C-alpha cells in the first residue's frame, strides 16, 4: 500500500513535501521516498502565549507568507474546544493508528510536543496511554513513514488529549503487511476508532476483497474506520505505467470507511499587544474565517483526493446526495490539509509545518473518540448518520463548514469543483465538532453498520500487475 503523503515544512529552514509532483504523481508501483524542497522558514517568535511558545507564522504582522496552527487554534477553529471544556476529551476511548516501518525518534518527539503545549503526558499515572505494537516484527526506519506516524500520534492526541493511542506498525508498506497489521488490531479489539493515513489507486490494490471483508468484521464490532482520501487530487497512478489517471484511493473508497479529504483552513492568528496589535479589534486565535479546497499544486504540493469509485457502487447512505450517481463518491468529509496553512509538528528534534490529508484522518478519529465518550458507547459506523445530517439543512449548517470554493484538479487530470453540500473534492465539508458530536449520538442507529455491509463488496479484486504497496498521504 502507498501511504498518503505527509507534507512537511521544516521550521528551521527546509520545506519537505511528501506529495508527488505532477511528474511523479503516478509512481504507484514502488515505495515512494519523500521529495525534499527548500522552502520558507517557520521561525520561533520572541514572544509567547501564556503557557507555550509561538512561531512567527502564527502571529499577526509576522511572516505573512506562511500560516501555521497549534493545537489550541485547531481546536477553536473546529469547535473542539467547547467539548474539551465540557470534559469531553476522549477519556476511556482508544484510537488505533495503522502505519508502517518504525521511527526510533517518535517517543522523544511526541513527549516534547506534549510538554511544549501542556498536553497530558502519555503513560503517567491517571493519564492516557501510548503503545506501539509491531505484530509481524519491526521493519526498518523510513523517514517518510516516520513523518506520517509522528503527525498521526501528535495530532490525534492534540484533539482528544485523554484518549489512549495504539500505534500498530506493519513491517513494510506492502498490501499484505498493512492488511496483517490491520487484522491484528481488529482481531484483538485494540481500540474504538481506527485511522489510516495511506492508500493507493483502488484498481491497483492487490487484496481489495480481503480488506473489505476485514472492514466488515470491524464494522460488526462497532469500530469506526477512517482513511485519508489522498494527496493527488482527482488523480492516481495507473497500475502498469507512470501515467496519472482519474481514480480514487483505497482504503478511503471502501464504503465501510469514512474518507477524509483536504481543505485549506483560514483561521485567526494570535494578536499580541506587545507587537502593536489590538486584541479587542481582532478575533481570538483560531477563530474560523473560511476554507477552500486544498490544492497547492502550484506550489509543488498536493490536492484533496476525491472522485468516484470504479469498484464500489454508490452506498445507500449516499442516495439523494450524489444525484443520479451510481458509484461510491469520495471523500465523505474533510479537514485542514494545507501546507502553507499547516499544523505544527515536532519531528526529528525540530519544528515543522505539516499538511496533507494525513492530518485529517487522525483528527477525525479523535473527534469520534470524543463522540463515543459523549454517547457512552462506541458509535461504530457513522457514515449513514453523517449523510443524514448533511441532508437536513438546519442540522448540516450547525455541524459542518460547507466548502464551496476550489477544485482538486492535479497532475494534468481534471478534477471536481466544490459546491454547496457534498462534492467530490471535500465531501460534506469540515467539522463543527461541538454540535456534530451531539448529532452523532442522536442519529447513529444500531443497525447502520449491518445495513451498510449488505451489498457493499467490491466488483472485483483490482488489476494489480504486482503486489500493491501503500504510501503515506
Amino acid at each position: 500500500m502507498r501511504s498518503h503523503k505527509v507534507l512537511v515544512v521544516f521550521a528551521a529552514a527546509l520545506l519537505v513535501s511528501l506529495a508527488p509532483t505532477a511528474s511523479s504523481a503516478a509512481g504507484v508501483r514502488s515505495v515512494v521516498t519523500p521529495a525534499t524542497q527548500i522552502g520558507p522558514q517557520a521561525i520561533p517568535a520572541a514572544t509567547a502565549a501564556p503557557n507555550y511558545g509561538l512561531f512567527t507564522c502564527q502571529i499577526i504582522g509576522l511572516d505573512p507568507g506562511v500560516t501555521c496552527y497549534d493545537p489550541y487554534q485547531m481546536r477553536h477553529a473546529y469547535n473542539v474546544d467547547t467539548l474539551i471544556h465540557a470534559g469531553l476529551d476522549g477519556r476511556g476511548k482508544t484510537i488505533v493508528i495503522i502505519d508502517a516501518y518504525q521511527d526510533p525518534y517518535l517517543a522523544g518527539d511526541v513527549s516534547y510536543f506534549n510538554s511544549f503545549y501542556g498536553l497530558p503526558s502519555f503513560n503517567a499515572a491517571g493519564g492516557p496511554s501510548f503503545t506501539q505494537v509491531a505484530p509481524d516484527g519491526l521493519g526498518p526506519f523510513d523517514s517518510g513513514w516516520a513523518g506520517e506516524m509522528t503527525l498521526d500520534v501528535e495530532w490525534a492526541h492534540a484533539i482528544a488529549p485523554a484518549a489512549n493511542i495504539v500505534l500498530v506498525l506493519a513491517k513494510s508498506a506492502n498490501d499484505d503487511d498493512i492488511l496483517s497489521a490491520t487484522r491484528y488490531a481488529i482481531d484483538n479489539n485494540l481500540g474504538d476508532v481506527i485511522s489510516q493515513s495511506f492508500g493507493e489507486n483502488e484498481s491497483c490494490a492487490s487484496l481489495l476483497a480481503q480488506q473489505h471483508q476485514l472492514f466488515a468484521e470491524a464494522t460488526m464490532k462497532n469500530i469506526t474506520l477512517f482513511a485519508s482520501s489522498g494527496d493527488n487530487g482527482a488523480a492516481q497512478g495507473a497500475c502498469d505505467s507512470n501515467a496519472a489517471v482519474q481514480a480514487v484511493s483505497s482504503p478511503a473508497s471502501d464504503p465501510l470507511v469514512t474518507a477524509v479529504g483536504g481543505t485549506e483552513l483560514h483561521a485567526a492568528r494570535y494578536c499580541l499587544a506587545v507587537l502593536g496589535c489590538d486584541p479587542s479589534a481582532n478575533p481570538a486565535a483560531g477563530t474560523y474565517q473560511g476554507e477552500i479546497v486544498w490544492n497547492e499544486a502550484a506550489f509543488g504540493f498536493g490536492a484533496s483526493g476525491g472522485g468516484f469509485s470504479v469498484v464500489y457502487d454508490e452506498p445507500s447512505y449516499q442516495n439523494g446526495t450524489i444525484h443520479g450517481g451510481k458509484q461510491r463518491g469520495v471523500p465523505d468529509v474533510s479537514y485542514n490539509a494545507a501546507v502553507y496553512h499547516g499544523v505544527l509538528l515536532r519531528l526529528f528534534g525540530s519544528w515543522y509545518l505539516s499538511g496533507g490529508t494525513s492530518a485529517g484522518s487522525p483528527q477525525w478519529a479523535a473527534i469520534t473518540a470524543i463522540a463515543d465518550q459523549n454517547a457512552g458507547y462506541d458509535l461504530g459506523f457513522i457514515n449513514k448518520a453523517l449523510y443524514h445530517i448533511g441532508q437536513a439543512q438546519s442540522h448540516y449548517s450547525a455541524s459542518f463548514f460547507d466548502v464551496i470554493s476550489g477544485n482538486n484538479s492535479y497532475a494534468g487530470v481534471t478534477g471536481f469543483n466544490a459546491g454547496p453540500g457534498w462534492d467530490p473534492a471535500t465531501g460534506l465539508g469540515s467539522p463543527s465538532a461541538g454540535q456534530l458530536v451531539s448529532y452523532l449520538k442522536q442519529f447513529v442507529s444500531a443497525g447502520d453498520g449491518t445495513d451498510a455491509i449488505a451489498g457493499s463488496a467490491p466488483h472485483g479484486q483490482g488489476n494489480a500487475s504486482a503486489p500493491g504497496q501503500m504510501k503515506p498521504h
Side-chain angles (χ1 to χ4, degrees), residues 87-408:
L88 295 173
D89 51 12
R91 190 174 308 274
K93 298 301 175 180
T94 299
I95 301 165
V96 174
I97 295 167
I98 310 294
D99 276 311
Y101 302 106
Q102 64 166 308
D103 174 15
Y105 310 103
L106 175 65
D109 286 331
V110 170
S111 178
Y112 193 97
F113 183 88
N114 292 345
S115 177
F116 187 86
Y117 285 117
L119 302 175
S121 298
F122 282 123
N123 304 320
S129 64
F130 172 51
T131 309
Q132 297 187 62
V133 180
D136 300 312
L138 283 171
F141 169 75
D142 181 276
S143 61
W145 282 91
E148 177 63 68
M149 66 183 75
T150 305
L151 174 65
D152 292 345
V153 173
E154 290 180 357
W155 278 89
H157 186 50
I159 299 302
N164 304 314
I165 296 178
V166 178
L167 176 64
V168 181
L169 298 171
K171 67 180 181 180
S172 83
N174 291 339
D175 283 5
D176 55 348
D177 289 332
I178 292 285
L179 187 69
S180 177
T182 308
R183 178 172 295 282
Y184 182 87
I186 293 169
D187 287 350
N188 290 279
N189 303 305
L190 294 188
D192 310 284
V193 189
I194 293 178
S195 175
Q196 307 163 93
S197 293
F198 49 75
E200 62 191 321
N201 183 335
E202 62 175 4
S203 295
C204 307
S206 58
L207 299 171
L208 202 65
Q210 294 94 322
Q211 175 182 261
H212 180 73
Q213 178 57 39
L214 182 60
F215 290 166
E217 294 170 17
T219 300
M220 292 302 296
K221 291 185 172 186
N222 274 357
I223 299 171
T224 310
L225 302 166
F226 286 94
S228 304
S229 68
D231 299 347
N232 298 343
Q236 290 287 328
C239 302
D240 56 0
S241 73
N242 289 325
V245 296
Q246 191 176 87
V248 294
S249 175
S250 171
S253 65
D254 192 295
L256 302 181
V257 171
T258 305
V260 183
T263 69
E264 178 180 301
L265 170 67
H266 299 164
R269 293 183 173 215
Y270 286 85
C271 175
L272 302 180
V274 295
L275 297 179
C277 184
D278 181 2
S280 68
N282 288 274
T287 299
Y288 185 90
Q289 297 176 322
E291 280 175 287
I292 59 175
V293 178
W294 174 50
N295 193 331
E296 292 180 304
F299 302 109
F301 301 116
S304 177
F308 296 93
S309 174
V310 296
V311 298
Y312 292 106
D313 291 334
E314 177 187 17
S316 59
Y317 59 78
Q318 288 190 318
N319 291 345
T321 298
I322 305 174
H323 301 290
K326 297 181 179 180
Q327 302 159 282
R328 159 76 160 130
V330 176
D332 298 301
V333 295
S334 281
Y335 208 89
N336 183 45
V339 178
Y340 285 150
H341 288 76
V343 294
L344 286 155
L345 176 72
R346 182 72 179 185
L347 177 66
F348 304 148
S350 297
W351 287 101
Y352 303 77
L353 276 75
S354 181
T357 56
S358 284
S361 180
Q363 292 182 75
W364 262 98
I367 291 171
T368 303
I370 292 173
D372 287 348
Q373 178 193 6
N374 179 63
Y377 54 87
D378 287 349
L379 294 168
F381 183 76
I382 63 171
N383 285 9
K384 183 177 180 180
L386 291 174
Y387 283 88
H388 175 82
I389 293 166
Q391 291 174 350
Q393 186 55 45
S394 61
H395 296 155
Y396 181 48
S397 60
S399 303
F400 284 93
F401 294 108
D402 191 9
V403 181
I404 61 174
S405 178
N407 66 76
N408 66 347

